[in-house]
Amino acid sequence: MKYYCPKTLAEYFDLSKSIAAFDVSVIAGGTDLVPRYERGDHLPDYLIDLKHLSEINSIEVDDDSIKIGSLSTIQNIQDHSLIQEEFGALHSAAYDFAGAQIRHRGTIGGNICNASPAGDLLPPLYAFEAMLTLQGPAGERQIPIGEFILGPGATDLRVSELLTGVTLVRKGYQSLFQKVGLRQSMAISVLNLACVFEGKHQAPTHLRITAGAVAPTVVSLDAFCEAYKAAPGKLSELLGLIDEAISPIDDIRATANYRHTVLKNLIKEILKN
C-alpha cells in the first residue's frame, strides 16, 4: 500500500486521476477506516490522507447560511457558537458523539460518506435539509443529503470526487436531537432522531422529524409530520404513520419491535412537551 497526503485540492485531483485504475481509499479522520484495517479488512493499493486540505477545513457564515467544510471535526461543530444557537440538533449530536479523542479526529464529511444508518450527525443534517457540495474532475455539483446517501455504506460519490462542504440555510427554526444507546457514550446508536420545528410542539407551523437506525437510510417522517400539523389533537391516532415509514431490523443492539416502540414513544414525548 502506498500513502499520499496532498496539500491542495488541485494536488488531490491530479493524484486521483493518475491512480484511478487502482484500488484507492480516501481517509479524513480515520476513525472508521483504520479500525477496519486493524480487523483485517483488505488494504487498498493507495491510501490518500485528506487531513491537510485546509481549503475544506473551515466553517463560514453569511446572512443566509452556514457552510461547514467537510474536514471540520465533530469538535469544531460542537464548539461553534452559531451552530449551538441556530442548529441545536446538530450541536447536540456532536456533543453526544463518541468520546473526546474521536470528536477531535472524526469529521463531518467522514460521518456523511460512511453512510451508516446509525450515523449521529445524519438525522440533524436531513432535518435541516443539508445541501452537499461535491467537487471532482468534471467540476462542482450540489446535491441534497437525502439523494447522496443511497444505502448502508453507499453514496452517490463518483470516481475521484470529494465531498467538500455542507450548507445549511439559516431559517431560525428550533430543534432537538435524541439518541438511544446501550450506554451513555462510545456506543453506536440503537436509534436516533432529530426534530426541527417552528412554533410550539403542540401546534407547529413547521415540523420535520428524521430518524436513524430504523431503515437502510435516515427516514424523514413527512407523512406523519404533515398529518400532525393538520390535526395535532390526534397524536395517538397518527403514530401508525411512523410504523409505515420505517423498516428496522433485529440486530445485536435491539429488536425491530423495540425500535418501533421507542421511536414512537420518543416522538410522543417530544410533541406533548
Side-chain angles (χ1 to χ4, degrees), residues 134-193:
L134 309 174
Q135 291 187 40
E140 181 178 293
R141 64 188 177 111
Q142 308 284 327
I143 184 171
I145 189 170
E147 296 179 15
F148 177 71
I149 296 178
L150 306 177
T155 71
D156 189 44
L157 199 64
R158 299 169 184 170
V159 175
S160 299
E161 196 171 48
L162 281 181
L163 167 61
T164 57
V166 181
T167 301
L168 304 175
V169 178
R170 300 175 63 185
K171 294 185 176 180
Y173 293 147
Q174 299 178 70
S175 63
L176 55 85
F177 171 79
Q178 294 279 352
K179 172 179 178 176
V180 177
L182 298 182
R183 57 181 184 267
Q184 187 171 358
S185 62
M186 296 299 288
I188 297 173
S189 291
V190 170
L191 65 85
N192 49 29
L193 70 88

Side-chain angles (χ1 to χ4, degrees), residues 2 28 33 44 123 152 178 216 220 227:
K2 294 185 178 180
L33 198 60
Q178 294 279 352
S220 183

